Amino acid sequence: MKPIVSVEGSIGTMRLIGQFDFNLHKDFRQASQELLDNPAVQEIHVDFDQVPFLDSSALGMLLLLKERAAGQKKSMILINCREAVMQVFEIACFNKMFTIRPAS
């Protein structure tokens, strides 16, 4: 399913639903571009609440988005990360590169 993009004030949120893998590449890129092109957005939240699984291509997509956001002086936060997703992020040392907020 395509990511759902919303903007509230200076925060742009991309809600991911389902497995985050290479099949989502095109839709993720389009949703990312929408947030990057919006001058009101200063902080990008990627919401993992509905993501049960992600693969290495998903990690690459997140790194690319972080790089592109930083180039535009926008920050990026990974939010609502479930335990399985958090484990992948920790193995990939994403906890040292990103601000990550676990699911409550």
Side-chain angles (χ1 to χ4, degrees):
M1 176 177 247
K2 286 186 173 190
I4 299 168
V5 174
S6 62
V7 176
E8 191 171 313
S10 64
I11 298 173
T13 302
M14 181 185 333
R15 287 179 179 78
L16 304 174
I17 299 171
Q19 292 191 22
F20 185 20
D21 56 22
F22 186 75
N23 295 321
L24 198 60
H25 181 262
K26 182 179 176 188
D27 293 331
F28 182 84
R29 184 166 176 82
Q30 288 174 343
S32 299
Q33 196 60 51
E34 186 178 332
L35 292 173
L36 291 168
D37 288 345
N38 187 329
V41 172
Q42 294 302 310
E43 185 171 281
I44 297 172
H45 290 188
V46 182
D47 189 339
F48 285 86
D49 185 53
Q50 302 286 321
V51 177
F53 169 83
L54 69 155
D55 68 4
S56 60
S57 64
L59 299 176
M61 288 184 258
L62 291 170
L63 286 170
L64 184 59
L65 175 56
K66 179 177 174 52
E67 185 178 295
R68 294 175 68 214
Q72 294 187 15
K73 308 273 191 268
K74 298 182 185 209
S75 59
M76 184 173 152
I77 300 174
L78 310 179
I79 64 171
N80 296 324
C81 300
R82 296 172 178 227
E83 189 174 334
V85 170
M86 285 295 293
Q87 287 176 349
V88 173
F89 287 157
E90 287 171 12
I91 290 167
C93 294
F94 267 43
N95 53 332
K96 294 179 173 37
M97 296 181 275
F98 289 86
T99 299
I100 301 174
R101 295 186 187 149
S104 339

